[in-house]
Amino acid sequence: MKTIKKICITLILILSIGISSYLFICHRLYEQYKQNKEVSTLMQEVMNQKDFISFDQFPEYFVQATISIEDRRFYLHGGVDLIGVARAFVSQFDEDYIKSGGSTITQQTAKNLYGIYESNIWIKGSQMWMAWELEQNFSKEQIFAVYVNIINYGDNNEGIQEACQNYFGIDVSQMSIEQATILAGIPNLPSYYQLSNHYDNAKQRQYNVLVCMAQSGYISYEDIEVIFNGSVYENRLY
């Protein structure tokens, strides 16, 4: 019994040292990014742009759709979601789970603010530090707004306003729920879901978005087929 206890204590110590070392190295990388420009400064620069779309201009169902498919615990975590990471891991092996990544909207915001497109465990770790800083200095609404203003929506559309204008000829505030749910699915893999040449892929992704919305309680399961079968090229407010 004492031997087992010693082994457990040793393993815990090794794990603790490993995690601490990993976070330390990732923080050093984070400091290197900061030498160029603080992530908070990058956030403020985006928010100060004259064409920036603020949170209050987004239809509620667009916010719900994006959060449901990208980061359903967005309002609960502090920038990094360990439960989301675990769920993303399981989704790679369990067909009952919709495939997802482990990065939160906050982490993705930081990644895109710095224009980081390569990925490894060290870069992922540095993004955790960036996310924690963003959460300390900005509201969830500000983080969400910056995210959808800078993210790629396929077909060279940077941000949700460009996507709405170029795909549907409308402003953000005029999005129907059909349009909102198909657009919310594109950032996961823009070149695969862009509407110009991968509309069928985008529709499949839209269905996943709707299922996630129903699981989150934003719509009923009966609504899924109604919205899915509705036209994205007609402006109908939900």
PDB file of all heavy atoms in Angstrom, residues 156-175:
ATOM      1  N   ASN A 156     -12.576  35.137 -49.493  1.00  0.00           N
ATOM      2  CA  ASN A 156     -11.862  36.386 -49.194  1.00  0.00           C
ATOM      3  C   ASN A 156     -12.686  37.384 -48.393  1.00  0.00           C
ATOM      4  O   ASN A 156     -12.415  38.593 -48.430  1.00  0.00           O
ATOM      5  CB  ASN A 156     -11.377  37.054 -50.494  1.00  0.00           C
ATOM      6  CG  ASN A 156     -10.383  36.192 -51.251  1.00  0.00           C
ATOM      7  OD1 ASN A 156      -9.452  35.648 -50.659  1.00  0.00           O
ATOM      8  ND2 ASN A 156     -10.583  36.055 -52.553  1.00  0.00           N
ATOM      9  N   ASN A 157     -13.662  36.899 -47.662  1.00  0.00           N
ATOM     10  CA  ASN A 157     -14.469  37.766 -46.805  1.00  0.00           C
ATOM     11  C   ASN A 157     -13.862  37.813 -45.408  1.00  0.00           C
ATOM     12  O   ASN A 157     -13.878  36.826 -44.681  1.00  0.00           O
ATOM     13  CB  ASN A 157     -15.911  37.251 -46.715  1.00  0.00           C
ATOM     14  CG  ASN A 157     -16.651  37.398 -48.025  1.00  0.00           C
ATOM     15  OD1 ASN A 157     -16.682  38.469 -48.618  1.00  0.00           O
ATOM     16  ND2 ASN A 157     -17.248  36.310 -48.488  1.00  0.00           N
ATOM     17  N   GLU A 158     -13.317  38.958 -45.036  1.00  0.00           N
ATOM     18  CA  GLU A 158     -12.754  39.138 -43.708  1.00  0.00           C
ATOM     19  C   GLU A 158     -13.789  39.802 -42.816  1.00  0.00           C
ATOM     20  O   GLU A 158     -14.105  40.973 -42.973  1.00  0.00           O
ATOM     21  CB  GLU A 158     -11.494  40.002 -43.757  1.00  0.00           C
ATOM     22  CG  GLU A 158     -10.831  40.180 -42.398  1.00  0.00           C
ATOM     23  CD  GLU A 158      -9.579  41.023 -42.466  1.00  0.00           C
ATOM     24  OE1 GLU A 158      -8.719  40.731 -43.327  1.00  0.00           O
ATOM     25  OE2 GLU A 158      -9.451  41.959 -41.669  1.00  0.00           O
ATOM     26  N   GLY A 159     -14.335  39.042 -41.904  1.00  0.00           N
ATOM     27  CA  GLY A 159     -15.341  39.572 -41.000  1.00  0.00           C
ATOM     28  C   GLY A 159     -16.754  39.343 -41.480  1.00  0.00           C
ATOM     29  O   GLY A 159     -17.019  39.136 -42.659  1.00  0.00           O
ATOM     30  N   ILE A 160     -17.672  39.381 -40.547  1.00  0.00           N
ATOM     31  CA  ILE A 160     -19.067  39.051 -40.828  1.00  0.00           C
ATOM     32  C   ILE A 160     -19.759  40.087 -41.708  1.00  0.00           C
ATOM     33  O   ILE A 160     -20.640  39.747 -42.497  1.00  0.00           O
ATOM     34  CB  ILE A 160     -19.850  38.853 -39.494  1.00  0.00           C
ATOM     35  CG1 ILE A 160     -21.242  38.302 -39.762  1.00  0.00           C
ATOM     36  CG2 ILE A 160     -19.883  40.130 -38.681  1.00  0.00           C
ATOM     37  CD1 ILE A 160     -21.268  36.952 -40.469  1.00  0.00           C
ATOM     38  N   GLN A 161     -19.374  41.359 -41.603  1.00  0.00           N
ATOM     39  CA  GLN A 161     -20.004  42.381 -42.438  1.00  0.00           C
ATOM     40  C   GLN A 161     -19.699  42.153 -43.910  1.00  0.00           C
ATOM     41  O   GLN A 161     -20.594  42.209 -44.754  1.00  0.00           O
ATOM     42  CB  GLN A 161     -19.562  43.781 -42.004  1.00  0.00           C
ATOM     43  CG  GLN A 161     -20.114  44.915 -42.868  1.00  0.00           C
ATOM     44  CD  GLN A 161     -21.602  45.163 -42.669  1.00  0.00           C
ATOM     45  OE1 GLN A 161     -22.304  44.397 -42.019  1.00  0.00           O
ATOM     46  NE2 GLN A 161     -22.087  46.250 -43.251  1.00  0.00           N
ATOM     47  N   GLU A 162     -18.445  41.876 -44.233  1.00  0.00           N
ATOM     48  CA  GLU A 162     -18.085  41.577 -45.620  1.00  0.00           C
ATOM     49  C   GLU A 162     -18.819  40.340 -46.110  1.00  0.00           C
ATOM     50  O   GLU A 162     -19.283  40.298 -47.253  1.00  0.00           O
ATOM     51  CB  GLU A 162     -16.570  41.357 -45.751  1.00  0.00           C
ATOM     52  CG  GLU A 162     -15.757  42.619 -45.854  1.00  0.00           C
ATOM     53  CD  GLU A 162     -14.315  42.349 -46.261  1.00  0.00           C
ATOM     54  OE1 GLU A 162     -14.018  41.237 -46.753  1.00  0.00           O
ATOM     55  OE2 GLU A 162     -13.488  43.257 -46.087  1.00  0.00           O
ATOM     56  N   ALA A 163     -18.923  39.333 -45.261  1.00  0.00           N
ATOM     57  CA  ALA A 163     -19.608  38.097 -45.646  1.00  0.00           C
ATOM     58  C   ALA A 163     -21.075  38.367 -45.973  1.00  0.00           C
ATOM     59  O   ALA A 163     -21.599  37.889 -46.981  1.00  0.00           O
ATOM     60  CB  ALA A 163     -19.494  37.063 -44.528  1.00  0.00           C
ATOM     61  N   CYS A 164     -21.733  39.142 -45.130  1.00  0.00           N
ATOM     62  CA  CYS A 164     -23.146  39.462 -45.362  1.00  0.00           C
ATOM     63  C   CYS A 164     -23.329  40.254 -46.651  1.00  0.00           C
ATOM     64  O   CYS A 164     -24.241  39.994 -47.442  1.00  0.00           O
ATOM     65  CB  CYS A 164     -23.704  40.259 -44.184  1.00  0.00           C
ATOM     66  SG  CYS A 164     -24.021  39.279 -42.706  1.00  0.00           S
ATOM     67  N   GLN A 165     -22.460  41.210 -46.861  1.00  0.00           N
ATOM     68  CA  GLN A 165     -22.583  42.063 -48.043  1.00  0.00           C
ATOM     69  C   GLN A 165     -22.283  41.301 -49.326  1.00  0.00           C
ATOM     70  O   GLN A 165     -23.013  41.421 -50.317  1.00  0.00           O
ATOM     71  CB  GLN A 165     -21.646  43.266 -47.913  1.00  0.00           C
ATOM     72  CG  GLN A 165     -22.081  44.261 -46.846  1.00  0.00           C
ATOM     73  CD  GLN A 165     -21.090  45.397 -46.667  1.00  0.00           C
ATOM     74  OE1 GLN A 165     -19.912  45.283 -47.001  1.00  0.00           O
ATOM     75  NE2 GLN A 165     -21.565  46.512 -46.127  1.00  0.00           N
ATOM     76  N   ASN A 166     -21.210  40.512 -49.313  1.00  0.00           N
ATOM     77  CA  ASN A 166     -20.792  39.834 -50.538  1.00  0.00           C
ATOM     78  C   ASN A 166     -21.606  38.585 -50.851  1.00  0.00           C
ATOM     79  O   ASN A 166     -21.786  38.235 -52.018  1.00  0.00           O
ATOM     80  CB  ASN A 166     -19.296  39.490 -50.461  1.00  0.00           C
ATOM     81  CG  ASN A 166     -18.424  40.725 -50.449  1.00  0.00           C
ATOM     82  OD1 ASN A 166     -18.789  41.764 -51.014  1.00  0.00           O
ATOM     83  ND2 ASN A 166     -17.264  40.634 -49.807  1.00  0.00           N
ATOM     84  N   TYR A 167     -22.075  37.891 -49.831  1.00  0.00           N
ATOM     85  CA  TYR A 167     -22.888  36.700 -50.075  1.00  0.00           C
ATOM     86  C   TYR A 167     -24.362  37.036 -50.323  1.00  0.00           C
ATOM     87  O   TYR A 167     -25.008  36.432 -51.173  1.00  0.00           O
ATOM     88  CB  TYR A 167     -22.799  35.736 -48.889  1.00  0.00           C
ATOM     89  CG  TYR A 167     -21.519  34.950 -48.794  1.00  0.00           C
ATOM     90  CD1 TYR A 167     -20.860  34.801 -47.574  1.00  0.00           C
ATOM     91  CD2 TYR A 167     -20.960  34.318 -49.905  1.00  0.00           C
ATOM     92  CE1 TYR A 167     -19.682  34.056 -47.467  1.00  0.00           C
ATOM     93  CE2 TYR A 167     -19.794  33.575 -49.812  1.00  0.00           C
ATOM     94  CZ  TYR A 167     -19.159  33.446 -48.591  1.00  0.00           C
ATOM     95  OH  TYR A 167     -17.996  32.710 -48.496  1.00  0.00           O
ATOM     96  N   PHE A 168     -24.880  37.997 -49.562  1.00  0.00           N
ATOM     97  CA  PHE A 168     -26.324  38.233 -49.582  1.00  0.00           C
ATOM     98  C   PHE A 168     -26.731  39.666 -49.910  1.00  0.00           C
ATOM     99  O   PHE A 168     -27.925  39.947 -50.041  1.00  0.00           O
ATOM    100  CB  PHE A 168     -26.934  37.846 -48.225  1.00  0.00           C
ATOM    101  CG  PHE A 168     -26.545  36.469 -47.754  1.00  0.00           C
ATOM    102  CD1 PHE A 168     -25.931  36.292 -46.523  1.00  0.00           C
ATOM    103  CD2 PHE A 168     -26.796  35.347 -48.536  1.00  0.00           C
ATOM    104  CE1 PHE A 168     -25.564  35.030 -46.084  1.00  0.00           C
ATOM    105  CE2 PHE A 168     -26.432  34.081 -48.102  1.00  0.00           C
ATOM    106  CZ  PHE A 168     -25.813  33.912 -46.873  1.00  0.00           C
ATOM    107  N   GLY A 169     -25.767  40.578 -50.004  1.00  0.00           N
ATOM    108  CA  GLY A 169     -26.102  41.965 -50.314  1.00  0.00           C
ATOM    109  C   GLY A 169     -26.832  42.677 -49.196  1.00  0.00           C
ATOM    110  O   GLY A 169     -27.674  43.545 -49.446  1.00  0.00           O
ATOM    111  N   ILE A 170     -26.516  42.318 -47.958  1.00  0.00           N
ATOM    112  CA  ILE A 170     -27.202  42.903 -46.804  1.00  0.00           C
ATOM    113  C   ILE A 170     -26.178  43.325 -45.748  1.00  0.00           C
ATOM    114  O   ILE A 170     -25.003  42.976 -45.829  1.00  0.00           O
ATOM    115  CB  ILE A 170     -28.181  41.903 -46.156  1.00  0.00           C
ATOM    116  CG1 ILE A 170     -27.411  40.646 -45.686  1.00  0.00           C
ATOM    117  CG2 ILE A 170     -29.302  41.527 -47.119  1.00  0.00           C
ATOM    118  CD1 ILE A 170     -28.237  39.693 -44.848  1.00  0.00           C
ATOM    119  N   ASP A 171     -26.648  44.077 -44.760  1.00  0.00           N
ATOM    120  CA  ASP A 171     -25.834  44.399 -43.599  1.00  0.00           C
ATOM    121  C   ASP A 171     -26.045  43.347 -42.517  1.00  0.00           C
ATOM    122  O   ASP A 171     -27.045  42.611 -42.537  1.00  0.00           O
ATOM    123  CB  ASP A 171     -26.191  45.781 -43.055  1.00  0.00           C
ATOM    124  CG  ASP A 171     -25.705  46.897 -43.968  1.00  0.00           C
ATOM    125  OD1 ASP A 171     -24.652  46.714 -44.609  1.00  0.00           O
ATOM    126  OD2 ASP A 171     -26.384  47.932 -44.053  1.00  0.00           O
ATOM    127  N   VAL A 172     -25.138  43.316 -41.563  1.00  0.00           N
ATOM    128  CA  VAL A 172     -25.183  42.333 -40.486  1.00  0.00           C
ATOM    129  C   VAL A 172     -26.542  42.291 -39.793  1.00  0.00           C
ATOM    130  O   VAL A 172     -27.090  41.216 -39.529  1.00  0.00           O
ATOM    131  CB  VAL A 172     -24.077  42.642 -39.449  1.00  0.00           C
ATOM    132  CG1 VAL A 172     -24.329  41.905 -38.153  1.00  0.00           C
ATOM    133  CG2 VAL A 172     -22.715  42.257 -39.991  1.00  0.00           C
ATOM    134  N   SER A 173     -27.077  43.447 -39.479  1.00  0.00           N
ATOM    135  CA  SER A 173     -28.323  43.517 -38.717  1.00  0.00           C
ATOM    136  C   SER A 173     -29.513  42.932 -39.460  1.00  0.00           C
ATOM    137  O   SER A 173     -30.554  42.666 -38.861  1.00  0.00           O
ATOM    138  CB  SER A 173     -28.629  44.969 -38.331  1.00  0.00           C
ATOM    139  OG  SER A 173     -28.774  45.766 -39.496  1.00  0.00           O
ATOM    140  N   GLN A 174     -29.375  42.722 -40.782  1.00  0.00           N
ATOM    141  CA  GLN A 174     -30.486  42.220 -41.599  1.00  0.00           C
ATOM    142  C   GLN A 174     -30.453  40.710 -41.794  1.00  0.00           C
ATOM    143  O   GLN A 174     -31.322  40.151 -42.465  1.00  0.00           O
ATOM    144  CB  GLN A 174     -30.449  42.907 -42.973  1.00  0.00           C
ATOM    145  CG  GLN A 174     -30.617  44.416 -42.910  1.00  0.00           C
ATOM    146  CD  GLN A 174     -30.402  45.065 -44.268  1.00  0.00           C
ATOM    147  OE1 GLN A 174     -29.330  44.973 -44.865  1.00  0.00           O
ATOM    148  NE2 GLN A 174     -31.440  45.713 -44.770  1.00  0.00           N
ATOM    149  N   MET A 175     -29.486  40.045 -41.210  1.00  0.00           N
ATOM    150  CA  MET A 175     -29.379  38.588 -41.362  1.00  0.00           C
ATOM    151  C   MET A 175     -30.634  37.860 -40.905  1.00  0.00           C
ATOM    152  O   MET A 175     -31.156  38.136 -39.822  1.00  0.00           O
ATOM    153  CB  MET A 175     -28.208  38.056 -40.526  1.00  0.00           C
ATOM    154  CG  MET A 175     -26.894  37.949 -41.218  1.00  0.00           C
ATOM    155  SD  MET A 175     -25.686  37.043 -40.180  1.00  0.00           S
ATOM    156  CE  MET A 175     -25.351  38.248 -38.904  1.00  0.00           C
TER     157      MET A 175
END
